[in-house]
Amino acid sequence: FRPSSTYKWTESVYPSCNMSLVSREGMCNVLEALNIRRLFILGDSLNESLGLSLWMMLLTGEDNPRKSRGFRYAIPCESGFEFVLQYTRNDQLLENDEPVDMDNQMKNCKNYCYPWTAKYMRDPGRTILFANTGAHLKEPNDFRMAVDHFIDTVDNMNRP
């Protein structure tokens, strides 16, 4: 990976909207103030890249966490607060009991849908959930049905 400061967005259209780089200190301050204990990223390889990029910005110099099915890392803050950055590979946001194994190219939903609901429910702390299917669902109706099913699944979990 390149250092997290390799690229910097320079706003030219709206110069008053400059953004600062994400830092562990800044992320810790915001998450602690909101009492958010976990960032849970669910989806395909695009979301994996999002998680890895965020991980590298927060813990530059650590080993690469790339595991292709998922990872879970505790991020310590100077204040003593700690939050978790977690990713689970699931290309269609679909929970099922069929076997899946990326190493052996064994797909269980026409893609790779690793179980996620138990992982999501395991931690009762406040969580921000990021989810997407990437480009795996090419038909609009398939995408709509997958997202509707996903929203129903999350709603039925009755998390606070």
Side-chain angles (χ1 to χ4, degrees), residues 1-7 52-53 56-57 60-61:
F1 286 106
R2 295 179 183 179
S4 61
S5 61
T6 300
Y7 301 102
L52 291 172
S53 295
M56 289 300 294
M57 286 190 283
T60 302

Side-chain angles (χ1 to χ4, degrees), residues 10-120:
T10 303
E11 182 56 58
S12 58
V13 177
Y14 301 103
S16 64
C17 295
N18 280 330
M19 298 176 66
S20 58
L21 292 173
V22 172
S23 68
R24 184 183 335 180
E25 179 184 3
M27 185 71 75
C28 286
N29 291 340
V30 169
L31 296 179
E32 185 173 11
L34 297 172
N35 194 29
I36 294 171
R37 300 290 179 169
R38 179 174 56 157
L39 304 177
F40 192 98
I41 302 168
L42 177 67
D44 68 344
S45 59
L46 237 109
N47 266 14
E48 177 185 24
S49 293
L50 171 116
L52 291 172
S53 295
L54 183 56
W55 182 81
M56 289 300 294
M57 286 190 283
L58 298 174
L59 294 172
T60 302
E62 299 283 332
D63 290 335
N64 179 351
R66 189 175 193 96
K67 300 220 189 311
S68 71
R69 322 161 193 28
F71 56 79
R72 179 184 169 91
Y73 290 100
I75 311 291
C77 301
E78 287 184 26
S79 67
F81 179 79
E82 181 177 275
F83 69 94
V84 170
L85 177 63
Q86 186 169 358
Y87 163 74
T88 297
R89 175 75 184 250
N90 193 299
D91 296 342
Q92 294 183 10
L93 310 178
L94 176 69
E95 183 75 25
N96 70 52
D97 296 329
E98 300 296 320
V100 58
D101 185 345
M102 287 183 71
D103 295 335
N104 293 311
Q105 297 181 356
M106 181 189 304
K107 298 176 179 183
N108 65 348
C109 63
K110 298 181 186 172
N111 291 293
Y112 299 104
C113 293
Y114 283 88
W116 66 275
T117 55
K119 294 173 186 175
Y120 181 66

